[in-house]
Amino acid sequence: MKTVLFVGAGRHQRRAIMQARDRGLRVVAVDRNPDAPGLAAADVPETVDLMDVDAVTEIARRHAVDGALTVSADRAVPVVAMVTERLGLPTIGSTTAHLMTHKIGMRRTLAEAGVPQPRFAAARDLREGRAAVGTVGVPSVLKPADSGGQRGVFRIDSRDDLDAHLHAALAESKSGEAIVESFVDGTEMNCIVLARDGEATVLTLSDRLRPPGIGFGVGWIHVYPASIYGDQLALAERVAVQAVHALGLRNGIAFPQLIAEPDGGIVVVEVAARIPGGQMADLVRHAVGVDLVDVALRQALGEDVPDETALPRFSQPLAIRFFTAQPGPLPTGVVRRIGSLEPVLRADGVVQAETYLQVGETIRPVRLDGDRRGYVIAVADTNVQALARAEAAARLLSVEVE
Ligand SMILES: Nc1ncnc2c1ncn2[C@@H]1O[C@H](COP(=O)(O)OP(=O)(O)O)[C@@H](O)[C@H]1O
Ligand SMILES: [Mg+2]
């Protein structure tokens, strides 16, 4: 029996852990939180801070694991890479893991490879920050160099905006660095790329719609297939593959985030080296029939990933609508009562839905990924119809607030 280590055991990992066990694997899982839902699902739960690489390596060694992975947790990606590298297990390598999680290193590497991207400059303090905004111009986007989930991400329209937000962006960065990028207008897209033995294949490209205002970076709707076509579609797929190669990923799942500009251009926002959160694995499963968790487990264990497992089997239009506050389907306020999910699940085209809402919690206007309190996935003959179905189904969840 083979043993696999999950680094991080939160809500997103739990299902993957159960899937690994169903496959006959023994699962060791680590998380700092003793109540993490994934720990209860593992054969061997270990409570440890996953940023403590020595401690995680020791656990991996003690349980003689055959491979390690993470699902959805960006900060675990370098840890998995370092642990597997130290133990001589299948690995993406710590260099690639760093470039895939540190936005400044990533931008410099992509620039050298000629991958299209926004203008950018790095900043560690106010003086550098002002200089960066001077170089890049406004509007721009300020972000921590190494964080995720939209934490510490701000749109900058003036020097005052920079002065007001730089501190918050730096505070979210482990290395105390921020990046300023030119703001790119257009349609944001998520791409899922699978690299096998150095060859990268695009599995899905989907639109990622965002709310107006302060939550401008949060994906609150996904629509597959993406709305671009023709030359721009071909360019997007080329750029996604080129970015994955430039960052050095030879075996693994990559998550390039792109923006399609109105003039036909494509720019890279960032590329992650993991199964994304936010139901992207569900998107891939329903849209093209590829099981990313199965692929990730095989790659973590150094097993072959045959074409039957790796390549799209069909193309099913769909839309994912997250439960978020107005102008999303939820009201804002303190939750008093949550209606049944049944009407949502029974609605036309719905293939999956879930909510994480709890009585007593406060629903706020969307600002972070964490403000998404569940989702509904609907399929249809076209992406436009799928979106209408997902929107209609989402409105069937009744939530009372005060
Ligand atoms: N240069 C940019 N131009 C326009 N929007 C951007 C830019 N950079 C980031 N964003 C928006 O902010 C979101 C979060 O930025 P990202 O770099 O992906 O950080 P995170 O690691 O938090 O996901 C993106 O998905 C996108 O919607
Ligand atoms: Mg991102």
Side-chain angles (χ1 to χ4, degrees), residues 292-318:
L292 290 183
V293 172
D294 185 29
V295 170
L297 284 168
R298 285 170 186 259
Q299 291 188 317
L301 294 168
E303 293 172 1
D304 188 34
V305 187
D307 286 355
E308 309 86 83
T309 306
L311 300 183
R313 293 195 284 134
F314 46 80
S315 178
Q316 169 65 61
L318 63 79

Side-chain angles (χ1 to χ4, degrees), residues 254-270:
F255 172 38
Q257 297 149 54
L258 312 172
I259 295 179
E261 296 177 293
D263 69 358
I266 296 286
V267 299
V268 173
V269 174
E270 66 164 344

Side-chain angles (χ1 to χ4, degrees), residues 103 118 141 143 147-151 153 181-184 188 208 210 216-217 257 259 269-270:
K103 292 177 168 64
V141 179
K143 334 182 218 189
S147 185
Q150 275 53 256
R151 281 183 296 269
V153 176
E181 301 177 359
S182 49
F183 179 91
V184 182
E188 187 166 0
R208 176 180 188 273
R210 300 170 286 164
F216 75 93
Q257 297 149 54
I259 295 179
V269 174
E270 66 164 344

Side-chain angles (χ1 to χ4, degrees), residues 85-140:
E85 214 165 50
R86 284 184 191 178
L87 298 179
L89 299 172
T91 185
I92 66 169
S94 46
T95 306
T96 291
H98 172 75
L99 296 178
M100 292 277 199
T101 50
H102 193 280
K103 292 177 168 64
I104 299 167
M106 182 185 311
R107 288 272 179 243
R108 290 189 177 134
T109 307
L110 295 179
E112 278 167 22
V115 175
Q117 59 178 351
R119 285 191 306 282
F120 69 97
R124 279 165 303 185
D125 55 36
L126 197 54
R127 192 181 55 82
E128 290 181 1
R130 287 178 178 166
V133 172
T135 313
V136 167
V138 289
S140 50

